[in-house]
Amino acid sequence: MDRFGDWIVMLAAASLMIWWLFRRFDHWLHEPPSSRLRKLAAAGGVEDDDTVHLLQENGFEVLSGKHRISLGVILDDGPVRPTRLYFDYLALKESKYYLVKHERARQPMEWTASGLRERLLVYALLFPDCEGIIIVNAQEQQLKTVRFKVEAGER
């Protein structure tokens, strides 16, 4: 880098890199909260089944289906252990997003506050822009909506 032209090229490259990083950070900072959900809605296809018909009969627009969220778990500074979370559909009603899960016979839902918390809170925390989580019981043609509300606690 003895020549003056080399310094100009390096300065131009560094300037472009800084400008690009600033633009990415600004885009991330001003991204609307529901953009993750819109990306999920565009990612998955919808199968034509009884659950979709039941949701549509109840005023929901089914946006996408069969989602898998990959997670990694680290225990005591050990290796990353992969795991996944699944939900069945992403639905929209009155401009509000809902995650949809099937109630399965082999894993029945415990309809107590602690049972719902243990089973569904992770979805509410991963997708705070969702209005709720809809549990579909296809055998009984029944929908139940679960919402979590953080209350002012005692100290």
Side-chain angles (χ1 to χ4, degrees), residues 25-50:
F25 177 72
D26 188 56
H27 176 70
W28 172 79
L29 191 61
H30 294 100
E31 190 174 40
S34 61
S35 66
R36 281 183 62 200
L37 293 172
R38 280 189 254 130
K39 288 176 189 173
L40 274 177
V46 178
E47 296 176 11
D48 192 26
D49 62 6
D50 295 336

Side-chain angles (χ1 to χ4, degrees), residues 5-29:
D6 292 344
W7 284 103
I8 291 175
V9 170
M10 289 299 291
L11 187 62
S15 297
L16 281 173
M17 183 63 95
I18 290 170
W19 175 80
W20 181 78
L21 287 172
F22 175 75
R23 294 283 297 160
R24 295 289 297 162
F25 177 72
D26 188 56
H27 176 70
W28 172 79
L29 191 61

Side-chain angles (χ1 to χ4, degrees), residues 6 13 23 41 60 69 77 79 83 96 102 110 121 137 146 149-151:
D6 292 344
R23 294 283 297 160
F60 291 94
I69 301 164
D77 296 327
T83 187
K96 296 178 183 172
H102 285 119
E110 186 179 331
L121 183 62
N137 187 329
V146 178
K149 179 185 173 202
V150 177
E151 298 178 356

Side-chain angles (χ1 to χ4, degrees), residues 7 14 18 26 28 33 41-43 48 72 89-90 94 108 111 117 119 128-129 135 137 143-144:
W7 284 103
I18 290 170
D26 188 56
W28 172 79
D48 192 26
Y89 295 101
L90 181 63
E94 299 172 0
W111 292 104
R117 179 197 66 221
R119 187 91 173 268
D129 304 321
I135 307 301
N137 187 329
L143 302 178
K144 294 183 181 182

